[in-house]
């Protein structure tokens, strides 16, 4: 039997890329079949601890170094555990420029270091569905950050601040005592932060074997041999439904070629497409997408993965002195799943909140849950993800999703950049969403009528609650200036809770948007 396109391409790349893809597929199968064992890595004890060495231990270094370094800047005693050597990947992280200012504001990088961390920049970016009108936008996810330089610089800064880096030290266990947490039977800390990602054993224990509500599968590559192109694609579709999936594409210039991604949303049913099958589709369609023959391309690296998502997010862990952040918490958009962007977006909020929790000793599970609050502007996007996918046995018009997206984005473009750009950067705001819904419903009523049976009436009714909450949070955020003086006069312990509510209203209404927040990794 002749090798597949995937086998041909991946066998040319250094390292065990094809075995890595198949290993990822085995994990995906176990997620779909819900056969991953539930670990018991967190236990509780009433035994007192005599000495607690650290204020914070962060588990998971790749994105954990961001919060770990920010807390070390604040003068806290921080240790960072990483199962391997802490280093960045070769592939850039795409983000928008204004969001990067958090690194300078938190004194993690100098302006010069931030500039050096930028590997690529491009403009403009395109949104397009089937044969519909192309929409072009500037300064959205157009910055490529060099993860190798960024993590190396943060690592150096962290160590200079007195941080302890525990490389080649995988997390194995945590015992929560009244005064602190014993990690790996060796290290003691007042607070344990889990930054180990979607498959963190702590998160798996907290979820108690709950199967994901949805999955996003992503495959792609960085390659040379494309025609010169300084533009990008944010969201593009040029095919109708295939394999009960709507395929979406992204493309960005990279230092050593051009990165292209194919991604799709689906439920977690076992008979769904595998990553290897999706990679085959990616290679089959890439020539049509980019106008280039496969044999003209020199592949530099392959990219693949899947992101589970849960309706009940961010997760509320049942333990004191333990906080999940980033992908471990599920605090990312069910549309974009960008670990780096989501972490950077919430970095200031988490840094100040964690510092205040430690200062006021608000380390109960209930108090720490306020650091990962319900955010209606993220929850409303669940319906959008559902509208961009189709059930395993559902029958809809092959062009329905493209037609809907074309209509919605056409109306957003007419409403202008203040509506379009936040949405493209995963910040949903009540005013923009309401205007878009009204215009789409008015000018495309038949399309909206078709969506109701696709997403289901119960999902639509549930969405209405979160949409209403988005409006309420927007109003509450506007009251914040009136409350500020009153909050300052409260006892410090009460101030902590009020500050977390104010943060929840701000982020939950999308009011943290500064003109360039991007959450796609």
């Amino acid at each position: 039997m002749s090798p597949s396109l995937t086998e041909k391409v991946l066998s040319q790349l250094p390292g065990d890329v094809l075995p890595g893809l198949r290993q990822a597929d085995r994990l995906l199968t176990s997620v779909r079949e819900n056969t991953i064992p539930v670990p018991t890595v967190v236990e509780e004890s009433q035994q007192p601890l005599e000495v607690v060495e650290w204020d914070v231990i962060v588990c998971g270094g790749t994105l954990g170094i961001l919060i770990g370094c920010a807390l070390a800047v604040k003068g806290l005693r921080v240790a960072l555990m990483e199962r391997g050597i802490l280093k960045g990947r070769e592939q850039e992280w795409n983000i928008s420029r204004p969001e990067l200012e958090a690194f300078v504001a938190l004194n993690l990088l100098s302006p010069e270091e931030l500039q050096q961390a930028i590997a690529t920049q491009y403009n403009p970016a395109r949104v397009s569905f089937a044969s519909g009108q192309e929409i072009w936008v500037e300064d959205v996810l157009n910055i490529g950050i060099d993860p190798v330089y960024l993590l190396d610089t943060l690592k150096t800064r962290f160590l200079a601040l007195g941080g302890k880096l525990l490389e080649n030290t995988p997390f194995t266990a945590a015992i929560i005592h009244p005064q602190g947490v014993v990690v790996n039977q060796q290290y003691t800390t007042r607070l344990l932060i889990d930054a180990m990602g979607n498959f963190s054993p702590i998160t798996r224990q907290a979820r108690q074997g709950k199967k994901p509500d949805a999955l996003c599968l992503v495959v792609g590559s960085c390659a040379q041999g494309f025609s010169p192109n300084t533009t990008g694609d944010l969201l593009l579709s040029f095919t109708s439904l295939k394999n009960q999936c709507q395929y979406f594409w992204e493309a960005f210039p990279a230092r050593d070629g051009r990165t292209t991604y194919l991604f799709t949303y689906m439920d977690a049913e076992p008979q769904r497409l595998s990553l290897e099958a999706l990679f085959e589709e990616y290679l089959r369609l890439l020539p049509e997408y980019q106008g280039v023959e496969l044999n003209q391309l020199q592949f530099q690296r392959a990219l693949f993965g899947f992101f589970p998502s849960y309706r009940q997010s961010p997760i509320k862990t049942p333990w004191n002195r333990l906080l999940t952040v980033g992908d471990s918490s599920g605090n990312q958009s069910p549309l974009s799943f960008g670990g780096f962007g989501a972490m950077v977006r919430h970095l200031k909020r988490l840094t100040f909140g964690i510092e205040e929790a430690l200062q006021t000793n608000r380390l109960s599970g209930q108090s720490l849950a306020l650091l990962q609050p319900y955010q209606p502007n993220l929850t409303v996007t669940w319906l959008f993800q559902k509208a961009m996918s189709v059930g395993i046995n559902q029958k809809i018009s092959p062009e329905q999703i493209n037609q809907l997206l074309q209509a919605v984005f056409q109306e957003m473009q007419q409403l202008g950049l203040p509506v379009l750009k936040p949405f493209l950067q995963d910040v949903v705001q009540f005013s923009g969403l309401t205007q878009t819904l009204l215009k789409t419903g008015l000018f495309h009523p038949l399309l909206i009528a078709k969506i109701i049976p696709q997403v289901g009436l119960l999902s639509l009714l549930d969405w209405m609650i979160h949409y209403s909450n988005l409006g309420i949070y927007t109003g509450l955020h506007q009251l914040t200036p009136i409350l500020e003086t009153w909050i300052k006069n409260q006892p410090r312990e009460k101030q902590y809770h009020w500050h977390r509510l104010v943060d929840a209203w701000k982020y939950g209404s999308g009011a943290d948007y500064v003109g360039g927040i991007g959450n796609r990794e």
Side-chain angles (χ1 to χ4, degrees), residues 96-107 109 111 114 344 348:
S96 304
R97 184 63 185 252
E99 191 172 16
L100 292 172
E101 295 309 313
F103 286 101
V104 177
L106 291 169
N107 202 18
L109 299 175
L114 178 60
V344 174
K348 281 187 194 176

Side-chain angles (χ1 to χ4, degrees), residues 395-410:
K395 301 293 182 198
I396 67 168
S397 161
E399 298 298 337
Q400 182 168 304
I401 294 173
N402 276 333
Q403 288 169 352
L404 174 71
L405 291 171
Q406 187 181 322
V408 168
F409 274 89
Q410 180 184 314

Side-chain angles (χ1 to χ4, degrees), residues 151-183:
L151 265 60
D152 193 50
T153 306
L154 291 177
K155 188 173 168 177
T156 303
R157 179 115 176 84
F158 177 70
L159 293 170
L161 289 161
K164 175 85 168 174
L165 185 56
L166 302 165
E167 293 179 311
N168 295 314
T169 309
F171 167 83
T172 55
I175 301 173
I176 299 170
H177 296 257
Q179 302 89 355
V181 185
V182 179
V183 184

Side-chain angles (χ1 to χ4, degrees), residues 224-237:
Q224 296 174 353
F226 295 100
S227 300
N229 185 351
T230 58
T231 71
D233 289 336
L234 290 176
L235 188 60
L236 185 140
S237 169

Side-chain angles (χ1 to χ4, degrees), residues 327-348:
D327 290 347
S328 299
S329 67
N331 188 30
Q332 83 279 65
S333 161
L335 290 178
S336 71
F337 300 93
F340 176 66
M343 180 66 92
V344 174
R345 178 182 174 191
H346 293 276
L347 196 54
K348 281 187 194 176

